[in-house]
Amino acid sequence: MGLMAQLAYLPERGVIEIGGIDRVAFLQGLVSNDVTRAAPGHCIWSALLTPQGRYRAEFFIFATDDTLLLDAPRIAIPDIITRLSRFRLRSKVTLTDRSEAFAVHAGWDGYVATGIASPDPRLEAAGFRILAPARLDGSAGPETYLAHRLALGLPDHADLEPDTTLLMEAGFGDLHGIDWDKGCYMGQELTARTRYRGLVKRRLIPVEAGSELPERGSITAGEREAGDLRTHSGRRGLAMLRIDQLDQPLRIGTIALTPALPDWLHLPAAPAPIEKASA
């Protein structure tokens, strides 16, 4: 028997509409992915960074014939609009919070999306992103999607720390959230440096526990701090962990944790030992 199609309404997501003839060129210089690749039926996943290269917000960019629609965290929408507006200058663009006009959904396990929809560009198994004029019939609550997201190890705004997290720590490099060839954008220099110089010391990694996880807490490896717990449900969650501690027994309080590395996640290879020159 095949899997039953799943559809979840995501009330914590809203929509920003970017209109005007300069909308693509305007956004292209400000976000981590190539905005020109967004097209009807094909959205892209991207991030807005600080000028110093730290994370501010993530969103899916949909394209219609005359607008860009950003499926973004509702809590971050005022900040996104404020920050983007600072760079508008003479560009012919409009920025509007359209969260009351759209209901954001995710569909997977064979769900067939129609309307303003796109395959989730991060991972095929993630399914679809859907923007609808109202909550779709048969859609489950956000907890259904949370279980799906945690099972795949997919990051979300709730897992990331604005002004602190680096994109390469959060999986954007592995999940098609960065275009390495597009040229300059705000925060690009640090993002490129963390990739090419191997500066990533920690990663957002799925973890599983032997019992229900606590609300929050630091994760330890023996006497050393190894990271901290982010979004979680039941015995499964995401944690920001030091890469050099992944081979150690991990605990949060008295609860043992096991990293559950998904196939898509690529950790940096350990440096080869330096051979001493013979005398």
Side-chain angles (χ1 to χ4, degrees):
M1 182 182 292
L3 292 172
M4 182 179 292
Q6 300 284 337
L7 175 65
Y9 167 56
L10 308 180
E12 76 282 4
R13 306 290 292 194
V15 173
I16 300 170
E17 180 184 272
I18 304 181
I21 60 173
D22 295 333
R23 62 190 180 278
V24 173
F26 165 75
L27 198 59
Q28 181 77 323
L30 296 172
V31 302
S32 64
N33 216 331
D34 183 357
V35 182
T36 66
R37 291 177 47 240
H42 177 79
C43 74
I44 62 170
W45 188 51
S46 192
L48 178 67
L49 305 179
T50 67
Q52 295 75 32
R54 304 286 175 168
Y55 170 84
R56 280 305 305 180
E58 52 82 22
F59 34 74
F60 297 85
I61 304 173
F62 290 76
T64 69
D65 291 340
D66 52 7
T67 65
L68 296 174
L69 298 173
L70 276 55
D71 158 3
R74 277 184 187 258
I75 194 172
I77 284 177
D79 182 66
I80 295 170
I81 291 177
T82 296
R83 288 174 181 270
L84 293 180
S85 296
R86 293 174 186 164
F87 297 93
R88 186 162 47 186
L89 303 175
R90 296 183 180 178
S91 298
K92 293 181 172 61
V93 295
T94 59
L95 299 161
T96 310
D97 184 348
R98 297 272 283 155
S99 300
E100 299 312 310
F102 292 98
V104 181
H105 299 73
W108 66 98
D109 284 350
Y111 180 80
V112 178
T114 59
I116 302 177
S118 164
D120 189 317
R122 296 172 297 178
L123 204 62
E124 183 178 358
F128 287 85
R129 304 293 293 195
I130 304 116
L131 308 182
R135 179 170 177 166
L136 297 173
D137 290 341
S139 56
E143 66 284 346
T144 305
Y145 176 70
L146 175 60
H148 174 61
R149 181 171 76 79
L150 293 179
L152 295 175
L154 296 176
D156 181 84
H157 183 73
D159 305 304
L160 311 178
E161 295 176 303
D163 300 324
T164 300
T165 300
L166 302 175
L167 291 193
M168 292 297 286
E169 294 175 337
F172 279 76
D174 290 330
L175 292 168
H176 316 295
I178 304 170
D179 188 291
W180 299 108
D181 302 317
K182 64 171 281 186
C184 293
Y185 58 89
M186 188 166 64
Q188 181 227 5
E189 184 177 349
L190 179 59
T191 302
R193 197 159 67 236
T194 57
R195 180 195 191 196
Y196 295 115
R197 296 187 183 176
L199 300 178
V200 178
K201 305 298 184 188
R202 59 181 196 158
R203 285 293 303 266
L204 190 68
I205 290 173
V207 292
E208 295 177 353
S211 58
E212 188 161 332
L213 289 163
E215 274 303 302
R216 57 176 60 86
S218 295
I219 297 169
T220 56
E223 298 298 316
R224 300 189 63 181
E225 186 159 333
D228 59 279
L229 185 63
R230 302 293 169 89
T231 304
H232 56 282
S233 178
R235 299 183 179 187
R236 179 175 278 161
L238 290 173
M240 189 67 80
L241 296 173
R242 290 184 56 90
I243 295 171
D244 62 3
Q245 298 298 306
L246 291 180
D247 60 348
Q248 303 298 313
L250 301 175
R251 305 189 76 83
I252 180 165
T254 60
I255 301 171
L257 290 180
T258 303
L261 303 182
D263 291 341
W264 59 260
L265 193 151
H266 298 97
L267 296 176
I274 299 173
E275 295 184 6
K276 294 182 180 180
S278 55

